[in-house]
Amino acid sequence: MVELESEDVLERGDEAPSFELPGTDGEAHTLADYAEYDALLVVFTCNHCPYAQAKFAELNRLADDFDDLAVVGVNPNDEDQYPDDSFERMKGLVADGTIAYDAYLRDGSQDVAAAYGAMCTPDPFLFENDDGTFRLVYHGRLDDAPNPDDEPTEREMASHVDALLAGEVVTDDFQPSRGCSIKWREGNEPEYWD
């Protein structure tokens, strides 16, 4: 397991890169599907990484706590090398209630992860709906518990969502997320990976 911290590729105010990805619900999902939400949290995550697993409950809680926030998980990992990250396993985690946020999507090409600058699982990106365009307001960790066995004392992303939905500007400095590295297929690593 290679542990990495997220880095800024998208800047605050940048438009969310578009996507069309299959979901565990059998539907194709795009940014437009979340147009009725005031905020969108896109989290690059996976099934097998202990860092990602440690945040399933917090992502479920965020989705449950905020009606105006869509929480979307995206799994970009190479399922050939990491079979536990397969689409079938994703469906199983949703079916048994382990993952209960708004959508869990498969980025089989890994193009979406590369467009967002994803580095690790989990890697969260919070966007504001600006008249139909999702713009980045915060990229960083979900809480102040960086390691899988740590207990969080501050739900940082929840605070950012609260502020955003209250019409406030999120000005907090970027706090990198920590997790397992994205499992790129050989030769598919994006330029920022070097």
Side-chain angles (χ1 to χ4, degrees):
M1 175 178 70
V2 177
E3 175 193 297
L4 289 179
E5 289 189 349
S6 55
E7 296 181 9
D8 278 332
V9 172
L10 290 181
E11 300 293 334
R12 188 170 268 147
D14 284 353
E15 188 174 340
S18 63
F19 58 76
E20 183 173 348
L21 297 173
T24 56
D25 59 359
E27 303 292 327
H29 291 249
T30 68
L31 283 173
D33 293 330
Y34 307 102
E36 73 271 17
Y37 291 92
D38 293 332
L40 171 66
L41 181 62
V42 176
V43 184
F44 292 89
T45 186
C46 69
N47 307 331
H48 88 276
C49 168
Y51 291 87
Q53 292 171 354
K55 302 305 179 190
F56 288 165
E58 177 61 11
L59 291 172
N60 292 342
R61 187 173 171 191
L62 287 166
D64 192 52
D65 285 354
F66 297 102
D67 292 338
D68 293 325
L69 170 73
V71 178
V72 177
V74 179
N75 179 358
N77 277 357
D78 177 4
E79 65 180 342
D80 292 334
Q81 293 297 316
Y82 296 86
D84 200 37
D85 279 332
S86 72
F87 196 40
E88 289 307 310
R89 178 75 178 120
M90 291 169 61
K91 291 178 183 177
L93 291 173
V94 172
D96 71 14
T98 301
I99 289 176
Y101 28 92
D102 295 280
Y104 194 19
L105 313 181
R106 180 77 184 131
D107 180 17
S109 71
Q110 304 184 318
D111 291 344
V112 177
Y116 278 70
M119 293 286 290
C120 58
T121 54
D123 201 351
F125 296 78
L126 179 62
F127 296 92
E128 175 182 23
N129 189 339
D130 179 20
D131 292 326
T133 299
F134 285 106
R135 298 196 178 277
L136 185 69
V137 296
Y138 187 78
H139 172 212
R141 66 193 189 186
L142 295 169
D143 55 40
D144 63 352
N147 299 308
D149 295 331
D150 293 348
E151 286 296 323
T153 61
E154 187 176 346
R155 296 180 66 212
E156 295 168 338
M157 189 61 74
S159 296
H160 301 322
V161 174
D162 261 331
L164 174 60
L165 295 178
E168 300 169 13
V169 177
V170 178
T171 59
D172 297 64
D173 290 338
F174 168 59
Q175 294 290 331
S177 186
R178 182 184 298 171
C180 303
S181 64
I182 300 284
K183 307 309 184 199
W184 304 101
R185 290 192 309 279
E186 188 173 347
N188 210 37
E189 299 87 354
E191 290 181 8
Y192 64 79
W193 195 254
D194 295 332

